[in-house]
Amino acid sequence: MNLETTYLGLTLPHPILPGAGPLTGDLRKVRQLEDVGAPCLIMNSLFEEQIVKEQRAAFAAIDEAEDSFAEALSFLPEPEDYCLGPDEYLSRIAHIKAAVDIPVIASVNGISPDGWREYPQLIAAAGADALEVNLYHLSADKFESSAEVEERLLESVRAAREGIEIPIAVKLPPFFTSIPHFVSRLEELGVQAVVLFNRFYQPDIDIEELRTEPTLRLSTSAELNLRLRWLAILHGRTGLDLSLSGGIHESHDVIKGLMAGATTVQTVSGLLLHGPAHLRNLVDGVIEWMHEHEYSHLDQLRGCMSHQNAPDPEAIERGNYAMVLHSWTAD
Ligand SMILES: Cc1cc2nc3c(=O)[nH]c(=O)nc-3n(C[C@H](O)[C@H](O)[C@H](O)COP(=O)(O)O)c2cc1C
């Protein structure tokens, strides 16, 4: 069975990748992932120090100005809990590269143009085989239009792209008015892939304690459908590789992602819930399903359920929307 896949210029034995997350923080887990057949590793993101400083400043400012609302910011995690400093991050790339033979994709999340230029260069110099640029952005400024937000994000990607030769994937949030247009702008900038999508971690409210709670719920397969829709729309309409992130828990999820048009799929919650060896289950499950359904190569199923040959995907989506609403019946 041939599952070989080219992603970000890397030839991989199969398309199921461990996504950016905490597993690469532990060298034993990293080796375990390689042993169970991970075709590459995606590291958790390096967060620009600037973000950390701004978060500290935001805490301090609100503590002083509006003491009674200080608890409303309790959802901000302590930076030390999730941020590796740049030096530690760069040496972790070197340690992981020394520990495994598979390609290592680093990830960066920055905000200032300087940060976006500087860190990708340092990461490439540290030996990463490719870079995921993690655009995690929530617009809260009523004076900044969506077009301006998009320009700013594109500027960040341009800054990251300029200084390095290694391939770049851009991990997107799902909240754009026109994802195909934004993806085509990314393609013009010379990136190689987009990752659909970043998950937003939405704080819950504790109504007794009057504070917000950081809720990092792991995903379920229910998150898959949003990804499937956009993959189906983008497949065949962009030259970029498409990587699915969000809701891959079972081998059937992988098959759906590939049918919608994913070049690769990534899984994080699935591996955190079931352990790194779950990656092998996913690969075996895909192979078994392909045997049963007489597929011998992934290209036979990749994109077969996309809108590639539909002249008007918007009309299909409108039709589906109406059909779904009318199909509901009370039990
Ligand atoms: C504990 C945890 C840490 C994560 N850290 C990062 C990160 O550093 N950078 C990043 O781009 N995504 C990060 N993610 C998001 C995942 O890469 C992924 O996009 C998201 O969890 C959806 O995939 P899943 O449904 O397979 O979990 C993290 C996810 C989890 C659960």
Side-chain angles (χ1 to χ4, degrees):
M1 183 67 64
N2 189 345
L3 301 187
E4 195 173 278
T5 297
T6 304
Y7 176 61
L8 289 172
L10 306 165
T11 304
L12 308 175
H14 65 77
I16 306 171
L17 324 180
L23 288 178
T24 51
D26 177 344
L27 277 188
R28 274 176 315 141
K29 292 266 177 355
V30 161
R31 289 200 191 90
Q32 215 180 335
L33 282 168
E34 183 180 41
D35 290 345
V36 298
C40 64
L41 297 167
I42 305 176
M43 293 176 65
N44 58 323
S45 304
L46 167 63
F47 286 86
E48 193 193 336
E49 276 175 312
Q50 186 61 24
I51 297 176
V52 178
K53 282 193 201 131
E54 285 192 4
Q55 284 183 345
R56 288 210 175 108
F59 265 123
I62 291 201
D63 274 342
E64 281 163 25
E66 304 199 44
D67 208 28
S68 58
F69 291 106
E71 62 270 40
L73 284 186
S74 58
F75 65 87
L76 282 176
E78 285 298 326
E80 310 66 79
D81 291 345
Y82 68 101
C83 287
L84 275 187
D87 292 342
E88 294 155 291
Y89 192 88
L90 296 174
S91 60
R92 183 164 297 169
I93 295 175
H95 287 141
I96 294 178
K97 286 291 291 178
V100 294
D101 292 325
I102 50 180
V104 175
I105 302 173
S107 168
V108 68
N109 180 301
I111 45 167
S112 70
D114 283 348
W116 283 103
R117 220 178 301 276
E118 184 191 353
Y119 290 118
Q121 290 175 8
L122 294 171
I123 283 170
D129 297 281
L131 177 68
E132 212 173 79
V133 170
N134 175 12
L135 294 183
Y136 189 98
H137 171 82
L138 213 60
S139 297
D141 177 357
K142 73 173 181 177
F143 296 108
E144 194 179 29
S145 72
S146 41
E148 288 167 331
V149 172
E150 289 188 9
E151 278 310 319
R152 192 156 49 76
L153 294 176
L154 289 166
E155 199 44 53
S156 308
V157 176
R158 188 177 290 116
R161 172 73 285 173
E162 266 169 15
I164 58 171
E165 301 284 328
I166 58 173
I168 292 187
V170 178
K171 189 169 185 178
L172 298 178
F175 307 118
F176 287 92
T177 309
S178 172
I179 289 176
H181 178 256
F182 192 74
V183 168
S184 78
R185 301 282 312 272
L186 289 172
E187 194 169 357
E188 286 164 18
L189 292 183
V191 311
Q192 281 71 27
V194 283
V195 182
L196 310 174
F197 289 113
N198 223 326
R199 268 175 101 220
F200 279 90
Y201 297 104
Q202 295 150 353
D204 201 354
I205 293 179
D206 182 329
I207 58 173
E208 300 303 331
E209 300 294 329
L210 285 184
R211 61 187 173 91
T212 50
E213 301 203 314
T215 47
L216 202 165
R217 292 203 182 92
L218 297 178
S219 73
T220 67
S221 299
E223 299 207 11
L224 199 59
N225 293 12
L226 176 74
R227 278 87 184 160
L228 298 181
R229 156 177 290 168
W230 286 108
L231 283 164
I233 290 173
L234 288 172
H235 180 79
R237 290 186 161 78
T238 172
L240 300 185
D241 293 339
L242 302 172
S243 192
L244 186 162
S245 174
I248 295 287
H249 286 260
E250 299 169 16
S251 51
H252 284 185
D253 300 331
V254 177
I255 291 161
K256 289 177 190 177
L258 295 169
M259 285 182 162
T263 315
T264 57
V265 303
Q266 305 184 7
T267 174
V268 175
S269 296
L271 300 184
L272 293 176
L273 285 167
H274 306 293
H278 188 56
L279 193 100
R280 174 50 55 198
N281 298 338
L282 294 177
V283 177
D284 291 346
V286 170
I287 292 173
E288 197 180 316
W289 188 92
M290 286 176 69
H291 266 305
E292 277 170 19
H293 295 77
E294 298 180 358
Y295 288 95
S296 58
H297 199 283
L298 284 185
D299 287 342
Q300 295 167 309
L301 60 91
R302 193 176 270 123
C304 69
M305 294 301 289
S306 74
H307 292 340
Q308 183 169 17
N309 297 320
D312 187 355
E314 282 183 28
I316 296 180
E317 291 296 337
R318 265 198 314 277
N320 285 344
Y321 176 60
M323 194 175 73
V324 164
L325 293 187
H326 291 129
S327 68
W328 188 85
T329 50
D331 280 343

